[in-house]
Amino acid sequence: TSDSEQHTPTRTGQQRHRGPHLRVFRDRATMSSGGTGGDDLEFLTTQDMEDEYNEADAGVAEAPAAPKSIFETEEPTSRWTAALKKVSLFKESRHPGAACFHLLFKTLAVLVYEFQGLFNLGFVLVCVACIVLLAFDFWTVKNVSGRLLVGLRWWNYVKEDGTTEWVFESIEDMSEISPTDRRLFWVGLYAPAVVWSILLLVALINFNFQWFIVIFAALSLSSANIIGYTKCSKEATARLQKFAEGGVAQNLVGAIGVSNIISGLGSMMGQQGQQGAQGGARGPTTMSV
């Protein structure tokens, strides 16, 4: 090979040489106005190359995304939600999808139980279908619809000593909850328990004791969500009231002023001390009869 091929300049970014004694150089070829060019070679150390790479990496680095809240205040718009918005029941809902599934599974369970005689379905098939629908409804209400429609979530677990620990979570700003979503949630939570209670009474009157399995399963799952969300709602309300009272107290103290409160307490204590000293100087009062 010729000398020109051995000393061909290497551009920055194409090759990256490492080692304490290696040097790379950059070709800064400039063309003269007459068409003749000259090579202006600048030698760079490996440390200079690493600095350039670090600057390039820092320029493309993205900031970490903020954590997403589990209590979403608005459902993403899609064809599914747009279609549900056309239904008058979900027109004002912020989460029409969650509201739809909140009512869907429990409604299907009641329909399958009520109209199983029209299709001559067997007892086993109806029992399995109803219990599966009720299980889907329990999971949906506990983990999805309650969190999105009313901003509440609950769960419980058993400790090592055998006691049950309840955990409640709620959204910080309850004003973000839509009144339509709140109404749909609570009606859909309590109404099935009433319906299954009526069906229990009808089955008892007609001596249909075999259907008690389905009815007891429905009442058990509905009661679990009712108890959990009722306690969670009370806990959230108490927390909100406590926060409001604390805010009122802070505003009152801020309006009066800490210095004025301290000076007022000091003057009251001074007056009481003076009255006590005057009473001690006079001595005890005696009365003779």
Side-chain angles (χ1 to χ4, degrees), residues 255-271:
I256 297 176
V258 179
S259 59
N260 295 333
I261 294 176
I262 295 176
S263 61
L265 292 175
S267 62
M268 291 175 60
M269 293 176 64
Q271 292 178 0

PDB file of all heavy atoms in Angstrom, residues 255-271:
ATOM      1  N   ALA A 255     -55.388  34.203  59.963  1.00  0.00           N
ATOM      2  CA  ALA A 255     -56.071  35.499  59.936  1.00  0.00           C
ATOM      3  C   ALA A 255     -55.828  36.287  61.222  1.00  0.00           C
ATOM      4  O   ALA A 255     -55.606  37.503  61.194  1.00  0.00           O
ATOM      5  CB  ALA A 255     -57.573  35.293  59.712  1.00  0.00           C
ATOM      6  N   ILE A 256     -55.882  35.612  62.365  1.00  0.00           N
ATOM      7  CA  ILE A 256     -55.678  36.315  63.633  1.00  0.00           C
ATOM      8  C   ILE A 256     -54.220  36.687  63.822  1.00  0.00           C
ATOM      9  O   ILE A 256     -53.892  37.781  64.286  1.00  0.00           O
ATOM     10  CB  ILE A 256     -56.181  35.441  64.801  1.00  0.00           C
ATOM     11  CG1 ILE A 256     -57.687  35.207  64.654  1.00  0.00           C
ATOM     12  CG2 ILE A 256     -55.884  36.103  66.144  1.00  0.00           C
ATOM     13  CD1 ILE A 256     -58.254  34.290  65.706  1.00  0.00           C
ATOM     14  N   GLY A 257     -53.362  35.759  63.477  1.00  0.00           N
ATOM     15  CA  GLY A 257     -51.939  36.020  63.663  1.00  0.00           C
ATOM     16  C   GLY A 257     -51.427  35.315  64.904  1.00  0.00           C
ATOM     17  O   GLY A 257     -52.043  35.372  65.967  1.00  0.00           O
ATOM     18  N   VAL A 258     -50.298  34.639  64.744  1.00  0.00           N
ATOM     19  CA  VAL A 258     -49.736  33.916  65.876  1.00  0.00           C
ATOM     20  C   VAL A 258     -49.294  34.884  66.968  1.00  0.00           C
ATOM     21  O   VAL A 258     -49.461  34.627  68.163  1.00  0.00           O
ATOM     22  CB  VAL A 258     -48.545  33.054  65.392  1.00  0.00           C
ATOM     23  CG1 VAL A 258     -47.913  32.314  66.562  1.00  0.00           C
ATOM     24  CG2 VAL A 258     -48.998  32.069  64.333  1.00  0.00           C
ATOM     25  N   SER A 259     -48.717  36.004  66.591  1.00  0.00           N
ATOM     26  CA  SER A 259     -48.234  36.963  67.589  1.00  0.00           C
ATOM     27  C   SER A 259     -49.379  37.523  68.423  1.00  0.00           C
ATOM     28  O   SER A 259     -49.257  37.707  69.645  1.00  0.00           O
ATOM     29  CB  SER A 259     -47.484  38.103  66.893  1.00  0.00           C
ATOM     30  OG  SER A 259     -48.339  38.753  65.962  1.00  0.00           O
ATOM     31  N   ASN A 260     -50.535  37.781  67.764  1.00  0.00           N
ATOM     32  CA  ASN A 260     -51.681  38.296  68.517  1.00  0.00           C
ATOM     33  C   ASN A 260     -52.205  37.261  69.500  1.00  0.00           C
ATOM     34  O   ASN A 260     -52.599  37.600  70.630  1.00  0.00           O
ATOM     35  CB  ASN A 260     -52.799  38.704  67.556  1.00  0.00           C
ATOM     36  CG  ASN A 260     -52.392  39.872  66.680  1.00  0.00           C
ATOM     37  OD1 ASN A 260     -51.552  40.683  67.071  1.00  0.00           O
ATOM     38  ND2 ASN A 260     -52.976  39.971  65.490  1.00  0.00           N
ATOM     39  N   ILE A 261     -52.205  35.976  69.090  1.00  0.00           N
ATOM     40  CA  ILE A 261     -52.678  34.931  70.003  1.00  0.00           C
ATOM     41  C   ILE A 261     -51.753  34.815  71.207  1.00  0.00           C
ATOM     42  O   ILE A 261     -52.196  34.717  72.361  1.00  0.00           O
ATOM     43  CB  ILE A 261     -52.763  33.586  69.256  1.00  0.00           C
ATOM     44  CG1 ILE A 261     -53.842  33.670  68.172  1.00  0.00           C
ATOM     45  CG2 ILE A 261     -53.065  32.455  70.219  1.00  0.00           C
ATOM     46  CD1 ILE A 261     -53.943  32.429  67.318  1.00  0.00           C
ATOM     47  N   ILE A 262     -50.446  34.849  70.975  1.00  0.00           N
ATOM     48  CA  ILE A 262     -49.484  34.726  72.075  1.00  0.00           C
ATOM     49  C   ILE A 262     -49.585  35.921  73.016  1.00  0.00           C
ATOM     50  O   ILE A 262     -49.569  35.782  74.249  1.00  0.00           O
ATOM     51  CB  ILE A 262     -48.058  34.587  71.514  1.00  0.00           C
ATOM     52  CG1 ILE A 262     -47.936  33.276  70.740  1.00  0.00           C
ATOM     53  CG2 ILE A 262     -47.025  34.652  72.626  1.00  0.00           C
ATOM     54  CD1 ILE A 262     -46.602  33.097  70.062  1.00  0.00           C
ATOM     55  N   SER A 263     -49.705  37.116  72.452  1.00  0.00           N
ATOM     56  CA  SER A 263     -49.824  38.310  73.308  1.00  0.00           C
ATOM     57  C   SER A 263     -51.121  38.275  74.113  1.00  0.00           C
ATOM     58  O   SER A 263     -51.147  38.674  75.285  1.00  0.00           O
ATOM     59  CB  SER A 263     -49.760  39.568  72.445  1.00  0.00           C
ATOM     60  OG  SER A 263     -50.843  39.581  71.513  1.00  0.00           O
ATOM     61  N   GLY A 264     -52.224  37.780  73.508  1.00  0.00           N
ATOM     62  CA  GLY A 264     -53.480  37.690  74.241  1.00  0.00           C
ATOM     63  C   GLY A 264     -53.403  36.707  75.389  1.00  0.00           C
ATOM     64  O   GLY A 264     -53.884  36.967  76.496  1.00  0.00           O
ATOM     65  N   LEU A 265     -52.773  35.552  75.161  1.00  0.00           N
ATOM     66  CA  LEU A 265     -52.595  34.589  76.239  1.00  0.00           C
ATOM     67  C   LEU A 265     -51.713  35.148  77.343  1.00  0.00           C
ATOM     68  O   LEU A 265     -51.965  34.939  78.538  1.00  0.00           O
ATOM     69  CB  LEU A 265     -51.994  33.298  75.676  1.00  0.00           C
ATOM     70  CG  LEU A 265     -52.895  32.482  74.733  1.00  0.00           C
ATOM     71  CD1 LEU A 265     -52.124  31.297  74.164  1.00  0.00           C
ATOM     72  CD2 LEU A 265     -54.128  31.983  75.488  1.00  0.00           C
ATOM     73  N   GLY A 266     -50.667  35.880  76.949  1.00  0.00           N
ATOM     74  CA  GLY A 266     -49.781  36.472  77.961  1.00  0.00           C
ATOM     75  C   GLY A 266     -50.496  37.496  78.826  1.00  0.00           C
ATOM     76  O   GLY A 266     -50.311  37.544  80.051  1.00  0.00           O
ATOM     77  N   SER A 267     -51.338  38.328  78.227  1.00  0.00           N
ATOM     78  CA  SER A 267     -52.073  39.331  79.011  1.00  0.00           C
ATOM     79  C   SER A 267     -53.083  38.666  79.954  1.00  0.00           C
ATOM     80  O   SER A 267     -53.258  39.089  81.100  1.00  0.00           O
ATOM     81  CB  SER A 267     -52.784  40.289  78.056  1.00  0.00           C
ATOM     82  OG  SER A 267     -53.723  39.577  77.261  1.00  0.00           O
ATOM     83  N   MET A 268     -53.739  37.577  79.475  1.00  0.00           N
ATOM     84  CA  MET A 268     -54.678  36.873  80.334  1.00  0.00           C
ATOM     85  C   MET A 268     -53.972  36.257  81.540  1.00  0.00           C
ATOM     86  O   MET A 268     -54.445  36.340  82.675  1.00  0.00           O
ATOM     87  CB  MET A 268     -55.404  35.785  79.543  1.00  0.00           C
ATOM     88  CG  MET A 268     -56.373  36.329  78.486  1.00  0.00           C
ATOM     89  SD  MET A 268     -57.102  35.018  77.480  1.00  0.00           S
ATOM     90  CE  MET A 268     -57.923  34.087  78.752  1.00  0.00           C
ATOM     91  N   MET A 269     -52.818  35.665  81.323  1.00  0.00           N
ATOM     92  CA  MET A 269     -52.071  35.072  82.433  1.00  0.00           C
ATOM     93  C   MET A 269     -51.577  36.146  83.393  1.00  0.00           C
ATOM     94  O   MET A 269     -51.567  35.954  84.620  1.00  0.00           O
ATOM     95  CB  MET A 269     -50.886  34.265  81.882  1.00  0.00           C
ATOM     96  CG  MET A 269     -51.308  33.030  81.085  1.00  0.00           C
ATOM     97  SD  MET A 269     -49.911  32.164  80.348  1.00  0.00           S
ATOM     98  CE  MET A 269     -49.049  31.650  81.842  1.00  0.00           C
ATOM     99  N   GLY A 270     -51.195  37.313  82.857  1.00  0.00           N
ATOM    100  CA  GLY A 270     -50.753  38.402  83.736  1.00  0.00           C
ATOM    101  C   GLY A 270     -51.872  38.911  84.618  1.00  0.00           C
ATOM    102  O   GLY A 270     -51.681  39.192  85.803  1.00  0.00           O
ATOM    103  N   GLN A 271     -53.073  39.052  84.071  1.00  0.00           N
ATOM    104  CA  GLN A 271     -54.212  39.507  84.863  1.00  0.00           C
ATOM    105  C   GLN A 271     -54.566  38.515  85.964  1.00  0.00           C
ATOM    106  O   GLN A 271     -54.856  38.894  87.097  1.00  0.00           O
ATOM    107  CB  GLN A 271     -55.415  39.734  83.947  1.00  0.00           C
ATOM    108  CG  GLN A 271     -55.245  40.905  82.982  1.00  0.00           C
ATOM    109  CD  GLN A 271     -56.423  41.063  82.058  1.00  0.00           C
ATOM    110  OE1 GLN A 271     -57.375  40.285  82.144  1.00  0.00           O
ATOM    111  NE2 GLN A 271     -56.351  42.056  81.175  1.00  0.00           N
TER     112      GLN A 271
END
